[in-house]
Amino acid sequence: MERTDEALCRAVANREPGAFDLLVERYQERAYRIAWSVVRDREEAKDCAQEAFLRLHESAGTFAGQSKFSTWFYRILVNCCLDNRRRGRGWRRLLVWLDAADDERDEDPIERHPAPVEDPGAHVDEERQLSQLWDAVDRLSPRQRAVVLLQCREGLATKEIAEVLDMSEATVRVHLHRAFAALRRRVGARR
Amino acid sequence: MSVSGHPSERLVPYLRNELAAAERAAVEGHVGGCAECRAALADFAALAERLARAPEPAPSIHWGAFRAELREALARRAGSPGRPRRWSLGPLPAALAAGLAAIVLYLAMPGQNLRAPGGDQALVEDAMLASRLDLIKELDLVQRLDLLEDFDVIGRLDRLEPSSQG
């Protein structure tokens, strides 16, 4: 039977061989994806994810099991991303990204991410819509982006997102509503 | 209920089935009679569904290399007694200290008749050191000499014209 994340975390705290590697393999892609959604830079997202795993290794013994392991770990991860921004590198990237977003605002996303020549029109249309959607997600504030992606991609409940981002549930609801309203305004729902 | 009278901030939690029964009933009651909120709810549901299934545009990375780097970093931390002290001064201040020590030794050598009339040798040495304090005042600058490099030139090195003198 597969061990739970929580059991693996306790095993990491006891320095049981292999436990850390197993947790890393389970969470590496999610960690990188979440970090990338906040810092929007490949190398920095990788650094943040690795730093989060290092902190997990150091502090596994403090995991009390009162929340899910994923919530606890995502909080470490988001703090790594915020630390990275406080150190300045992340903010510089963010400013570069904001400038780029301004420059590209009116540019056709298909021009920037051309679809393969053999794609039929319907596929191009789907690609265009998805590209516009991610463009709109890119233009959300980092916190709104994190809230939306933690909910829609990682399936976290509002209460868990509040715990991860260290804010009240009411604040998470406000961020969620503003983010969805902005996305709706920018791309429509395109059902 | 928001100031506008619409339950705007409860629409997403409603879609996710996260509201308590009373709140849920209130939202349902409102949405039933409000075309604006009904349209928003339908659009939010479609957006959430698309965000959940749309391929993430995050650039891919090599997971084997990721884990190898992580193991190395873990080994480095395990091998070091603690995190590097932030106040560690590095080799440059050590060189400055050595230079100052050499000055003091030079002044202390026989034949260096800098003794002030009736004064104290320590006072003379202090005066000499004080005259060189500008070096220490600029320590911060000296430690950050790399910041003075011309990053603009570095950034376009590959585009610089070759010098006529080779």
Side-chain angles (χ1 to χ4, degrees), chain A:
Chain A
M1 194 174 128
E2 194 175 54
R3 297 171 81 179
T4 63
D5 297 339
E6 289 75 16
L8 277 176
C9 186
R10 282 190 288 274
V12 171
N14 295 329
R15 298 294 183 253
E16 189 181 302
F20 180 66
D21 290 341
L22 264 175
L23 263 184
V24 170
E25 283 189 28
R26 269 188 204 177
Y27 275 86
Q28 60 188 12
E29 291 185 41
R30 275 176 278 183
Y32 167 69
R33 201 168 56 225
I34 291 171
W36 187 82
S37 76
V38 177
V39 300
R40 276 307 197 260
D41 178 84
R42 182 181 179 277
E43 285 305 308
E44 285 191 51
K46 194 181 75 172
D47 289 348
C48 290
Q50 288 176 336
E51 178 61 29
F53 282 119
L54 292 172
R55 291 190 195 177
L56 154 66
H57 189 268
E58 283 169 9
S59 58
T62 65
F63 174 61
Q66 287 168 340
S67 60
K68 285 199 294 187
F69 167 80
S70 57
T71 308
W72 181 76
F73 176 62
Y74 291 158
R75 185 166 185 170
I76 293 175
L77 177 65
V78 169
N79 277 327
C80 287
C81 296
L82 295 178
D83 285 352
N84 200 53
R85 282 176 21 178
R86 279 187 208 111
R87 283 199 300 270
R89 292 174 61 211
W91 278 118
R92 279 205 296 279
R93 304 275 189 193
L94 190 65
L95 291 173
V96 168
W97 163 71
L98 283 173
D99 287 342
D102 282 336
D103 292 340
E104 294 168 4
R105 194 152 291 168
D106 298 317
E107 200 181 324
D108 187 341
I110 296 296
E111 294 293 316
R112 274 184 283 130
H113 307 288
V117 176
E118 66 273 17
D119 275 358
H123 187 64
V124 171
D125 192 45
E126 173 69 9
E127 290 262 311
R128 175 195 288 262
Q129 287 181 13
L130 287 179
S131 181
Q132 284 174 340
L133 176 62
W134 286 118
D135 266 6
V137 171
D138 276 356
R139 287 159 62 189
L140 296 174
S141 73
R143 274 187 202 282
Q144 285 180 1
R145 206 162 51 227
V147 162
V148 163
L149 295 176
L150 283 172
Q151 181 173 91
C152 295
R153 305 291 298 190
E154 309 304 325
L156 266 62
T158 302
K159 188 180 174 194
E160 292 170 316
I161 298 172
E163 209 174 313
V164 168
L165 297 177
D166 198 19
M167 53 176 71
S168 70
E169 284 186 57
T171 307
V172 173
R173 284 184 184 185
V174 170
H175 280 306
L176 270 173
H177 173 71
R178 289 184 183 165
F180 272 90
L183 293 176
R184 184 187 184 213
R185 204 165 47 244
R186 286 169 189 157
V187 299
R190 300 182 202 248
R191 279 160 280 162

Side-chain angles (χ1 to χ4, degrees), chain B residues 13-105:
Chain B
Y14 172 80
L15 283 173
R16 308 242 332 149
N17 233 345
E18 290 183 347
L19 295 179
E23 272 189 309
R24 186 168 182 79
V27 171
E28 272 170 2
H30 177 90
V31 168
C34 176
E36 194 181 323
C37 284
R38 219 168 26 249
L41 195 62
D43 284 352
F44 288 177
L47 280 168
E49 194 269 329
R50 289 179 65 209
L51 282 168
R53 71 178 161 83
E56 182 91 32
S60 62
I61 59 175
H62 189 284
W63 295 113
F66 177 89
R67 287 192 297 274
E69 285 172 23
L70 183 58
R71 275 193 293 273
E72 275 175 30
L74 194 61
R76 272 199 305 276
R77 286 205 186 170
S80 64
R83 296 192 179 195
R85 290 177 296 183
R86 292 182 66 82
W87 46 266
S88 173
L89 292 177
L92 184 59
L96 278 175
L100 287 172
I103 292 166
V104 170
L105 280 173

